[in-house]
Amino acid sequence: MTDRDPLVPALTGMLVDVVWWLESCGDEEVDPDSAVKIMESVGGELLRLPSGQRERLLRVLGDLAEAEQDPARRDFLKGFPFAIGMVEDQES
């Protein structure tokens, strides 16, 4: 995938939406332990990306947050890199 491949932002947005959904589900919708395992797995995979790909993902997340009209999703997109462990400082 190239730097301008439209698949990258689409897949990034879908990944964020799945994690957001898992985080917001009630215990009756998704077993909490299963949700945590899935989110930890996602975080682990993202942390194993080569540094160039992680940087690209951070740029895409920033672009998606900037373009997002829904304030709640925009905040989630901005906080996603911190929440998933990709950055240590939430302001990064």
Side-chain angles (χ1 to χ4, degrees):
M1 286 185 268
T2 67
D3 198 45
R4 296 181 187 263
D5 190 332
L7 187 59
V8 174
L11 292 175
T12 301
M14 288 178 2
L15 176 67
V16 168
D17 287 345
V18 168
V19 171
W20 189 12
W21 178 78
L22 285 169
E23 193 172 281
S24 65
C25 279
D27 293 355
E28 67 284 348
E29 294 175 284
V30 176
D31 175 63
D33 291 335
S34 296
V36 168
K37 286 179 185 178
I38 292 168
M39 290 188 287
E40 287 175 348
S41 177
V42 167
E45 287 301 317
L46 294 178
L47 291 174
R48 283 190 280 282
L49 290 172
S51 63
Q53 290 178 1
R54 279 195 313 270
E55 289 300 319
R56 170 69 174 132
L57 181 61
L58 291 171
R59 283 193 308 272
V60 169
L61 287 166
D63 292 347
L64 289 172
E66 190 174 305
E68 183 56 52
Q69 298 298 308
D70 176 8
R73 187 169 187 265
R74 182 176 39 248
D75 289 344
F76 193 82
L77 283 160
K78 287 180 179 179
F80 185 82
F82 173 76
I84 211 79
M86 292 182 69
V87 296
E88 292 185 24
D89 181 4
Q90 193 160 2
E91 298 301 316
S92 295

